Amino acid sequence: MVDLVLYGHPDSGHACKVALALSLAGLPYRAVWIDIWADPASRPADFRRLSPFAEVPVLTIDGDPHVQSGAILLEIACRFRCLGGESPAGIRRGREILMWEANRIGMCLPQLKEARRTRGKGFPLGAVDWLRMRFEADCRRFGLLLGDAAFLHGETPGIGDCAVWGYAQWLAEAGVEPTPVLQSWLGRMRNLPAMKSGTCFFPVHPDAGQA
């Protein structure tokens, strides 16, 4: 039995990507709640030893730490031959979507969400409008990536779907509207039996935040 421990927080889209992948793959893991709103130096010492930047997510596999959500998703797919990792074509598809997500929709949505949370504090004049324009372009490209399929990997979701879900789950919080194609995909993702809310993926532990 492989020992999997996932460090994350319900407000981290990157951590939610990995939690969803583990849930979809049916891989049992232990979740460790990390306070991402606290000073990184105050986060648990054992976590800081695992994460170079004291950031989530971190997934340990038999004690070996893995960081960066995209790299973790690829590790899960390849190691456990799931979520696209069953074939070279599936891995290639997952890798391509992960690279696109990180540079496009996964860049603008977290920033738009943060801009709404802070009421624009810290964002230069025009930055939010620019991010909205990028999101609109990303929605059009998402439609091209999805095509006529139910999910980005075909009839069943894969690591690419997990990656896009990470922040697309919070469109309302980001202050943007989905296209009909994106809305339909979001509905199918929400209806997956393995889907959970962020707070269910990362319940608060009584000792959370203690070094």
Side-chain angles (χ1 to χ4, degrees):
M1 177 70 72
V2 178
D3 180 49
L4 300 173
V5 180
L6 177 60
Y7 296 79
H9 187 281
D11 291 337
S12 167
H14 297 297
C16 287
K17 298 175 187 182
V18 178
L20 176 57
L22 294 172
S23 183
L24 287 173
L27 294 168
Y29 68 96
R30 180 169 64 89
V32 179
W33 187 93
I34 299 294
D35 187 358
I36 63 172
W37 301 110
D39 183 337
S42 72
R43 295 169 191 171
D46 61 340
F47 167 72
R48 286 186 277 117
R49 284 192 291 269
L50 297 171
S51 178
F53 307 122
E55 294 176 346
V56 299
V58 174
L59 177 68
T60 63
I61 304 177
D62 290 332
D64 186 23
H66 297 259
V67 299
Q68 299 300 318
S69 61
I72 297 172
L73 290 174
L74 284 168
E75 181 69 24
I76 291 170
C78 293
R79 183 182 292 241
F80 300 105
R81 298 186 63 79
C82 61
L83 303 173
E86 302 88 345
S87 69
I91 286 293
R92 182 174 66 250
R93 174 67 168 172
R95 186 183 298 115
E96 290 170 352
I97 296 171
L98 261 60
M99 298 303 107
W100 174 79
E101 187 272 342
N103 287 290
R104 299 296 307 189
I105 203 166
M107 187 284 288
C108 63
L109 281 177
Q111 298 301 322
L112 286 168
K113 184 172 180 286
E114 181 64 8
R116 291 262 292 186
R117 187 184 73 85
T118 62
R119 298 180 182 274
K121 184 178 180 181
F123 286 79
L125 184 65
V128 172
D129 289 338
W130 179 77
L131 289 166
R132 286 177 176 275
M133 289 175 59
R134 279 187 61 107
F135 172 73
E136 291 172 0
D138 295 342
C139 280
R140 292 192 294 271
R141 293 185 179 188
F142 176 86
L144 293 174
L145 283 172
L146 186 65
D148 296 327
F151 299 99
L152 291 166
H153 282 255
E155 292 305 307
T156 58
I159 56 172
D161 296 275
C162 295
V164 175
W165 171 261
Y167 281 98
Q169 64 176 310
W170 291 315
L171 295 185
E173 289 83 350
V176 293
E177 295 288 336
T179 60
V181 171
L182 181 55
Q183 183 64 50
S184 295
W185 174 83
L186 287 168
R188 290 189 289 274
M189 292 294 289
R190 291 190 182 101
N191 288 330
L192 291 170
M195 179 60 74
K196 299 179 183 179
S197 67
T199 52
C200 288
F201 279 136
F202 299 103
V204 179
H205 188 276
D207 299 327
Q210 296 183 10

